[in-house]
Amino acid sequence: MYRGYLPDTGPWAECSISYHNNVMTTPWGKVKPSDVQFVHRCKWSAKVHESMYKKLKSETKVQDKYLFDLLEQLLDIVGELAIQTGS
């Protein structure tokens, strides 16, 4: 019955699904089908959030440069004030 769900070749050839308790037996141990689905969901989520992070990072690159320049100007002003007041 499980061969209808799993390929006959490649890494799946060593796997089987028990019809008694629906547990997949692999060369590395036993897993539930829900665990296999969970792995795919985690990988999908990681890809989506990585692309969102890269997009946000590229969109804020100009703002980062602006803030860095502003910081430099503020430090120059504070330095000049310190020299003028002698502190």
Side-chain angles (χ1 to χ4, degrees):
M1 178 178 157
Y2 63 84
R3 278 293 143 212
Y5 297 102
L6 300 174
D8 291 329
T9 60
W12 295 104
E14 301 295 322
C15 300
S16 64
I17 300 174
S18 171
Y19 63 91
H20 296 293
N21 57 7
N22 296 325
V23 173
M24 181 187 295
T25 304
T26 70
W28 302 276
K30 296 182 179 187
V31 295
K32 295 179 185 176
S34 59
D35 295 339
V36 175
Q37 181 61 32
F38 179 70
V39 169
H40 291 292
R41 177 71 179 178
C42 286
K43 287 182 179 181
W44 171 84
S45 179
K47 284 181 189 177
V48 168
H49 288 97
E50 180 184 21
S51 67
M52 289 171 62
Y53 170 75
K54 287 181 178 178
K55 181 180 176 188
L56 181 64
K57 187 176 178 182
S58 68
E59 289 173 353
T60 59
K61 187 179 268 186
V62 174
Q63 292 174 350
D64 288 346
K65 182 174 177 3
Y66 169 76
L67 291 174
F68 182 75
D69 291 342
L70 182 62
L71 175 66
E72 289 294 321
Q73 292 173 3
L74 290 173
L75 287 174
D76 290 343
I77 292 171
V78 169
E80 289 176 14
L81 287 173
I83 291 171
Q84 290 176 0
T85 59
S87 53

